[in-house]
């Protein structure tokens, strides 16, 4: 997911300013040497934009044109900022500030608060949901969990677009936003939310930007002090800048034009947060003398993947489409994208998991494979399918690498060895850094060979192995490095959340996948209603959905699998069709009327209704209905229980606990996480239905043929009240 263990991450520091420019293509070199006046870099996916702008900063510093402490590089995620700082250090430009908008603003606000406002700065809250809930209670408005999330999003949008509560309704109407509640109610909740914050003396992340803007507007002395500090600005992902962030940037700049912005209007996918590509597209209008450089050489993806990406944009409409970049792949030819159609979503997940299992068995690292979907709700089906196929996976946005217990313990052990290594018998016979790390981590569970199977034991080993590999690459790049140097590197990475590669297929939404890349990408659920999403109504919203698919396609380096299902649930009416965005691009389809589609075709796999390749034949599927109220079920979690979440449960608590104890024993003996045996939902469904035979057990979603064969006898024995020993004797 983040290639942090490759030796190229620790290159030798260039010995001169000219050496910084070595290896850049002509356009990247133009970016790196354009150090005066406003510069706009239009950079397509995979064209090396981060390389271009980091070399630009490093060249300016090494040539003596830019002072490191006078440069502020701004991006949108802590991971991207950390990666930028790391690259700049490797280029000999340490000391440059690379931060997110919020991080830079918070630092300034904390420093100037006593002078500008006085007293203690209010506490910053991480999450708004509870405050919004309290505001709703104060207004006597009932909000369910989904409405709480939607109202919170509306408040965030209002703040980044600098809309006050009284102006929410007209502003939302002008922007074409579909409010989750009556606009007057949203405005009331927004005002109440601000009151709650004031009463509790807290601020949120948007307040950090708003307050910093207010201070810089009202206090010219503070604004001049910041402008004296920062003389040169670089803004990455400029197509995602909100009006509030743009205003802050203008205040940082003052009357100067020492600004370099980098972006791609075709990757604008966060307009729901207030982001707009207008600032990027209007840059030349605001700065008539700007240097504009276009990066179109794609170093990431094969010509086949690039061909599909270009084809998607060729059918696009709107202002961003008018400024699209035609990518030119710089890689050797690869396989054509593969298209697959399935009868239903569980079958689609099984098909993807089966193909991933084959790829992993053939030697493709699991960390170089990703499954990307439109909504997080789709994740559960793929988690289950991968678990059934015994494929390790990791959720993008789940527990971070440096927060894992085994990684924290390993860090403590390495830090202790760095301080007191002379008294550690483990280090008596080792001299080089990798050997020292292996010796220390052997005490934490690392072994030269991975444990058999998958699951929790394997995941812990993979975490430690990532640290061992990192130490080897670090020592190869810096032969004189000590254990203390490595510990400092790990601390720097932890602060930036710049994690080493961990084995496991990545499951991620298309939004969270932006900025990442893999050798193999499975784009799933590419059907009408999901891509574009149902609630995308306007032309602008439809085009943003197209750009989101474009971002997904351009995450793939070599292998791309695109799939869709004809129905959502097993036995459902096959009424879905592939996404309109694939018209004219997938085999057998025709181009959208009035637009030119890209030429060429890819391979296609079609799932034949009623078959699963070589998998055992299953019972005929029927629509899933709640066994309490009879409603048709579509939510994967409810389908597992065969009832609505709101309907009463008749679960046998004692049976459920016995099943959980049995599952824990199975997980320990196999070295797998418990959910790989059965998920909690599946156990609940078993405890509620208490099946008498294999046929009844097989009807429960989450109990496939593989698990029925492996665990069926045990589960039925437990349901019958027998001990497993009794069951074995009877057999």
């Amino acid at each position: 997911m983040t290639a942090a263990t490759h030796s190229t991450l620790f290159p030798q520091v260039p010995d001169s300013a000219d050496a910084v420019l070595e290896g850049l293509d002509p356009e990247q070199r133009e970016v790196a040497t354009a150090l005066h006046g406003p510069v706009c870099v239009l950079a397509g996916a995979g064209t090396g934009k981060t390389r271009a702008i980091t070399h630009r900063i490093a060249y300016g510093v090494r040539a003596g044109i830019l002072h490191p402490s006078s440069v502020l590089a701004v991006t949108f995620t802590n991971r991207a900022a950390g990666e930028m700082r790391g690259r700049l250090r490797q280029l000999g430009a340490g000391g440059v500030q690379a931060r997110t908008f919020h991080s830079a603003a918070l630092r300034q606000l904390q420093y100037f608060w006593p002078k500008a406002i006085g007293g203690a700065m209010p506490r910053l809250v991480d999450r708004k949901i509870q405050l919004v809930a309290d505001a709703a209670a104060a207004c006597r408005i009932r909000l369910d969990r989904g409405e709480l999330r939607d109202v919170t999003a509306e408040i965030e949008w209002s703040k980044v677009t600098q809309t006050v509560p009284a102006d929410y309704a007209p502003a939302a109407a002008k922007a074409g936003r579909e409010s989750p509640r009556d606009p007057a109610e949203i405005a009331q909740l927004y005002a109440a939310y601000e009151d709650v914050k004031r009463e509790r003396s807290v601020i949120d992340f948007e307040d950090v930007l708003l307050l910093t803007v207010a201070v810089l507007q009202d206090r010219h002395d503070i604004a001049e002090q910041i402008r004296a500090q920062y003389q040169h600005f670089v803004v990455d992902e400029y197509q995602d800048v909100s009006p509030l962030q743009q205003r802050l940037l203008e205040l940082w700049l003052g009357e100067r034009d020492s600004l370099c912005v980098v972006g791609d209007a075709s990757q604008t996918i966060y307009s729901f947060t207030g982001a707009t590509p207008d600032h990027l597209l209007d840059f030349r209008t605001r700065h008539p003398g700007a240097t504009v450089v276009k990066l179109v050489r794609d170093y990431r993806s094969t010509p086949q993947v690039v061909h599909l990406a270009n084809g998607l944009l060729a059918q696009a409409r709107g202002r961003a489409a008018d400024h699209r970049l035609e990518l030119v792949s710089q890689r050797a030819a690869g396989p054509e994208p593969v298209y697959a159609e399935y009868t239903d979503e569980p079958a689609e997940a099984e098909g993807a998991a089966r193909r991933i299992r084959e790829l992993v068995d053939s030697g493709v690292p699991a960390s170089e494979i990703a499954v990307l979907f439109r909504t997080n709700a789709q994740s559960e089906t793929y988690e289950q399918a991968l678990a059934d196929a015994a494929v390790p996976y990791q959720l993008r946005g789940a527990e971070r690498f440096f927060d894992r217990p085994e990684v924290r313990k390993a860090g403590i052990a390495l830090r202790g060895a760095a301080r007191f290594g002379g008294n550690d018998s483990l280090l008596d016979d080792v001299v080089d850094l990798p050997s020292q790390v292996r010796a220390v981590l052997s005490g934490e569970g690392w072994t030269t060979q991975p444990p058999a199977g998958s699951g929790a034991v394997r995941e812990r080993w993979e975490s430690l192995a990532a640290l061992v590999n990192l130490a080897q690459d670090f020592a190869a790049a810096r032969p004189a490095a000590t254990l203390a140097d490595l510990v400092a590197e790990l601390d720097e990475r932890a602060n930036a959340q710049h994690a080493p590669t961990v084995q496991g297929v990545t499951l991620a939404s298309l939004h969270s996948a932006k900025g990442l890349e893999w050798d193999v990408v499975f784009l799933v659920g590419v059907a009408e209603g999901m891509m574009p999403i149902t609630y995308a109504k306007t032309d602008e919203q439809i085009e943003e959905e197209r750009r989101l698919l474009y971002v997904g396609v351009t995450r793939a380096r070599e292998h791309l699998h695109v799939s869709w299902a004809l129905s959502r649930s097993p036995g459902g009416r096959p009424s879905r069709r592939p996404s309109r965005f694939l018209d004219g691009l997938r085999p057998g389809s025709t181009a959208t009327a009035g637009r030119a589609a890209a030429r060429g075709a890819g391979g296609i796999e079609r799932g034949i209704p009623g078959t699963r390749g070589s998998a055992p034949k299953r019972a005929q599927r029927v629509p899933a209905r709640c066994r309490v109220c009879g409603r048709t079920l579509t939510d994967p979690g409810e389908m597992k229980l065969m009832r609505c979440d709101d309907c009463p449960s008749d679960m046998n608590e004692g049976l459920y606990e016995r099943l959980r104890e049995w599952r824990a024993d199975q997980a320990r003996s196999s070295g797998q996480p418990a959910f790989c045996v059965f998920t909690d939902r599946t156990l609940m469904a078993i405890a509620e239905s208490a099946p008498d035979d294999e046929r009844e057990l097989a009807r429960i979603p989450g109990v496939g043929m593989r698990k029925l064969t492996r665990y069926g006898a045990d589960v039925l024995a437990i349901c019958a009240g027998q001990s497993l020993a009794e069951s074995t004797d009877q057999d």
Side-chain angles (χ1 to χ4, degrees), residues 345-513:
E345 289 184 3
E348 184 181 7
E350 290 171 13
R354 185 166 59 247
R355 178 59 183 142
I356 290 170
R357 178 75 266 173
E358 293 169 356
L359 289 167
V360 172
D361 290 343
S362 71
V364 178
S367 60
E368 287 298 345
I369 303 173
V371 178
L372 307 182
F373 32 74
R374 176 61 180 83
T375 68
N376 287 319
Q378 295 168 268
S379 172
E380 184 179 4
T381 305
Y382 289 88
E383 291 177 58
Q384 182 68 60
L386 290 173
D388 286 347
V391 174
Y393 65 84
Q394 54 186 332
L395 288 170
R396 174 75 180 157
E399 183 182 42
R400 295 187 287 191
F401 179 82
F402 290 102
D403 292 337
R404 297 178 183 177
E406 65 270 20
V407 174
R408 290 201 301 267
K409 286 182 63 180
I412 293 170
L414 290 170
R415 189 170 287 103
R419 290 179 180 173
F420 311 111
N423 300 321
D424 192 338
S425 59
L426 281 173
L427 303 181
D428 285 347
D429 299 323
V430 296
V431 290
D432 65 334
L433 178 58
S435 298
Q436 289 176 325
V437 172
R438 287 193 292 268
V440 172
L441 296 187
S442 65
E444 301 299 321
W446 179 81
T447 56
T448 55
Q449 294 298 319
S454 58
V457 174
R458 177 63 182 248
E459 288 173 3
R460 287 193 293 271
W461 184 89
E462 293 285 3
S463 296
L464 299 178
L467 295 175
V468 170
N469 293 336
L470 185 68
Q472 292 171 341
D473 290 339
F474 190 68
R478 305 178 190 176
T482 65
L483 197 53
D485 294 329
L486 177 65
V487 169
E489 174 70 20
L490 290 175
D491 288 341
E492 181 76 24
R493 285 170 172 267
N495 290 333
Q497 287 302 328
H498 188 187
T501 299
V502 178
Q503 288 301 318
V505 173
T506 299
L507 297 177
S509 70
L510 287 164
H511 283 100
S512 65

Side-chain angles (χ1 to χ4, degrees), residues 19-39:
V20 171
L21 302 178
E22 293 178 1
L24 299 181
D25 67 31
E27 293 79 22
Q28 292 171 342
R29 182 180 284 258
E30 182 68 26
V31 173
T33 54
L35 294 172
H36 300 287
V39 177

Side-chain angles (χ1 to χ4, degrees), residues 37-39 238 246 250 253 256-259 261 279 282-292:
V39 177
Y238 193 55
Q246 175 64 22
E250 291 167 354
L253 271 169
R256 300 165 300 174
D257 62 1
S258 187
L259 170 66
V261 300
H279 305 301
D282 292 338
F283 191 84
R284 194 69 177 268
T285 302
R286 295 196 314 275
H287 303 278
T291 299
V292 178

Side-chain angles (χ1 to χ4, degrees), residues 7 41 58 119 158 211 273 324 361 388 505 564 592 606:
S7 59
V41 183
S158 299
L211 288 167
T273 68
R324 66 183 181 270
D361 290 343
D388 286 347
V505 173
W564 57 89
T592 303
R606 284 192 183 276

Side-chain angles (χ1 to χ4, degrees), residues 335-340 560 562 564 585-587 600-606:
E336 292 285 349
V338 174
Y339 301 87
L560 180 63
V562 183
W564 57 89
L585 301 175
R586 62 181 176 85
I604 187 165
E605 289 179 357
R606 284 192 183 276

Side-chain angles (χ1 to χ4, degrees), residues 131-148:
L131 294 175
V132 175
D134 294 343
C139 296
R140 300 184 182 278
I141 296 175
R142 290 177 59 91
L143 298 176
D144 61 28
R145 186 166 55 185
E147 288 175 321
L148 269 175

